[in-house]
């Protein structure tokens, strides 16, 4: 994500009429339903431990992963590649040049067969902003992506849904590359568009590990803080554009089957251009190519006071919250029935 000052300055230029329109699109979380039997059997403690292990490597062993530390970007890239291979997938790198360095997206696919009913992308950027190890932004999202890949790959053939999921770790989302054609997600989405690749929905994971439970700790853009939304930051947000609203609705309905993770959904018009703060991650690259896409987030600087400084460390994260997000993502993927055997 890009600097907070720019975001806030742009946001507060949005008219009150537009803000009220957005408010009408943002429902307070509905009561959760009983969870899916298979997903409810997921070992949350073991999943939390694996998430913590990923954060340890990305933020402590490797550390800052900014464009100014290309050797650390390569280490992170290699780590992600190795984990995807370890769980039985066949990862590949989408390499491209940025100035004097080689950058690369890392991609691996799990599929029910050659002709699945739905094709999804689950992605997260693995770089960090300069001067921080980027625990919430965005090692938390990379860890959740890797753990979701592990859990989904482990499903038995008779339980695997009739879908394909591409897990993609994007390079270079942070400044100074943010907003340029050399963002990893823009390279990926542009190539997918040129190839007319079918993507039924892209899920962008952006800052998914921070919670706060003291009343008043959760902030909102004006004027949403005045309309009765939760005062504590224990929910996950789903942000989509108009084209993605059915996709976002399906995700939200599946997430509501997880009673341990409240969810709030926001739909914005005009690909979010009237509200720049909702475009600050890799999902916007897919919006701009005409694909359906959503951002899943803990709300970034509206909740996390450690946004972009050195204090964005793994000690500040809620690994149980992250494991519950993995559980909710699995609920969505498993809401698709297994393929029919003919």
């Amino acid at each position: 994500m890009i600097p907070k000052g720019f975001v806030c300055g742009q946001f507060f230029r949005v008219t009150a009429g537009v803000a009220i329109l957005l408010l009408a699109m943002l429902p307070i979380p509905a009561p959760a339903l009983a969870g899916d039997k298979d997903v409810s059997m997921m070992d949350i403690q073991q999943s939390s431990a694996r998430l913590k292990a990923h954060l340890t490597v990305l933020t402590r062993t490797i550390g800052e992963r900014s464009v100014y530390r290309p050797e650390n970007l390569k280490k992170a890239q290699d780590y992600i590649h190795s984990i995807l291979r370890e769980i039985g997938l066949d990862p590949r790198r989408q390499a491209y040049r940025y100035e004097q360095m080689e950058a690369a997206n890392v991609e691996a696919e799990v599929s029910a067969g050659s002709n699945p009913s739905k094709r999804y992308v689950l992605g997260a950027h693995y770089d960090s902003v300069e001067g921080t190890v980027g625990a919430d932004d965005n090692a938390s999202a990379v860890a959740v992506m890797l753990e979701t890949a592990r859990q989904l790959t482990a499903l038995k053939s008779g339980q695997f849904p009739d879908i394909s999921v591409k897990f993609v770790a994007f390079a270079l989302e942070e400044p100074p590359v943010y907003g340029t054609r050399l963002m990893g997600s823009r390279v990926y989405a542009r190539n997918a568009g040129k190839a007319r690749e079918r993507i039924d929905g892209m899920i962008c994971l952006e800052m998914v590990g921070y919670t706060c439970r003291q009343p008043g700790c959760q902030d909102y853009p004006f004027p949403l803080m005045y309309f009765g939304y939760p005062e504590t930051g224990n929910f996950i947000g789903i942000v989509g554009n108009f084209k993605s609203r059915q996709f976002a609705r399906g995700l939200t309905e599946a997430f509501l089957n997880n009673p341990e993770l409240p969810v709030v959904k926001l739909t914005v018009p005009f690909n979010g251009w009237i509200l720049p703060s909702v475009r600050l991650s890799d999902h916007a690259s897919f919006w701009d190519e005409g694909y359906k896409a959503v951002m899943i987030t803990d709300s970034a600087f509206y909740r996390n006071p450690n946004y972009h400084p050195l204090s964005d460390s793994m000690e500040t994260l809620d690994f149980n919250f992250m494991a519950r997000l993995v559980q909710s993502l699995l609920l969505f993927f498993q809401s698709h029935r297994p393929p029919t055997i003919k």
Side-chain angles (χ1 to χ4, degrees):
M1 287 197 159
I2 65 175
K4 178 179 178 181
F6 170 82
V7 176
C8 293
Q10 291 295 317
F11 174 78
F12 285 109
R13 294 187 182 96
V14 177
T15 66
V18 170
I20 292 171
L21 170 65
L22 295 173
L23 173 64
M25 300 172 188
L26 181 61
I28 294 176
L33 307 174
D36 177 87
K37 181 179 179 181
D38 292 333
V39 174
S40 68
M41 294 174 65
M42 187 181 112
D43 191 315
I44 294 297
Q45 288 188 336
Q46 287 188 9
S47 183
S48 297
R50 284 190 291 267
L51 291 165
K52 188 174 293 187
H54 292 319
L55 265 292
T56 299
V57 173
L58 290 169
T59 67
R60 292 180 178 174
T61 306
I62 297 174
E64 179 184 325
R65 303 172 307 285
S66 77
V67 69
Y68 304 109
R69 300 292 299 272
E71 71 283 3
N72 285 357
L73 278 173
K74 181 61 165 60
K75 289 176 183 177
Q77 179 194 133
D78 290 344
Y79 176 73
I80 293 164
H81 190 280
S82 70
I83 295 299
L84 292 170
R85 184 174 293 281
E86 175 187 298
I87 63 179
L89 301 180
D90 185 21
R92 69 178 189 90
R93 302 173 203 253
Q94 182 187 58
Y96 64 97
R97 299 297 301 179
Y98 172 73
E99 295 187 349
Q100 302 304 311
M101 64 174 280
E102 180 180 88
N105 300 321
V106 183
E107 174 191 60
E109 182 178 12
V110 59
S111 179
S114 59
N115 190 31
S117 64
K118 296 289 183 181
R119 295 182 180 273
Y120 297 115
V121 171
L122 179 65
H125 73 87
Y126 63 89
D127 60 324
S128 69
V129 75
E130 181 185 14
T132 176
V133 299
D136 195 23
D137 187 12
N138 198 37
S140 65
V142 173
V144 166
M145 183 191 73
L146 293 174
E147 179 62 10
T148 304
R150 179 184 294 276
Q151 295 283 348
L152 196 58
T153 304
L155 290 176
K156 296 178 182 179
S157 58
Q159 297 175 320
F160 197 90
D162 188 17
I163 61 173
S164 160
V165 182
K166 287 186 176 180
F167 302 95
V168 187
F170 297 116
L172 308 188
E173 186 264 5
E174 298 286 4
V177 192
Y178 174 82
T180 74
R181 63 188 302 274
L182 293 178
M183 281 177 65
S185 60
R186 290 204 174 274
V187 172
Y188 187 95
R190 186 167 60 247
N191 287 347
K194 287 180 180 178
R196 297 187 177 180
E197 181 180 342
R198 175 185 161 193
I199 300 174
D200 294 302
M202 185 273 175
I203 302 170
C204 166
L205 301 173
E206 175 65 53
M207 299 185 66
V208 295
Y210 189 86
T211 60
C212 63
R213 302 181 186 276
Q214 301 78 28
C217 68
Q218 176 69 49
D219 200 3
Y220 295 92
F222 177 85
L224 302 185
M225 69 282 287
Y226 300 118
F227 287 86
Y229 287 91
E231 294 186 353
T232 56
N234 66 334
F235 62 86
I236 200 73
I238 298 177
V239 181
N241 62 354
F242 266 17
K243 184 172 184 177
S244 310
R245 59 189 182 276
Q246 284 190 321
F247 175 45
R249 185 180 303 119
L251 268 165
T252 304
E253 289 173 355
F255 276 35
L256 287 171
N257 283 304
N258 186 351
E260 303 299 326
L261 184 65
V263 58
V264 169
K265 178 171 69 72
L266 170 65
T267 301
V268 293
F270 308 117
N271 280 3
W273 284 111
I274 61 170
L275 191 62
S277 59
V278 304
R279 289 184 52 88
L280 300 184
S281 194
D282 298 301
H283 60 294
S285 301
F286 290 80
W287 286 354
D288 294 345
E289 292 293 333
Y291 287 115
K292 299 173 184 176
V294 300
M295 174 175 62
I296 293 180
T297 180
D298 62 21
S299 77
F301 51 80
Y302 291 112
R303 178 186 303 177
N304 190 345
N306 306 300
Y307 178 75
H308 280 185
L310 185 61
S311 57
D312 184 11
S313 64
M314 65 178 289
E315 292 81 10
T316 66
L317 301 187
D318 184 337
F319 291 97
N320 183 75
F321 178 81
M322 293 164 61
R324 295 298 182 185
L325 175 56
V326 172
Q327 195 174 43
S328 290
L329 287 165
L330 291 172
L331 280 167
F332 170 70
F333 291 133
Q334 288 193 271
S335 68
H336 302 75
R337 294 186 177 183
T340 303
I341 299 176
K342 297 181 179 179

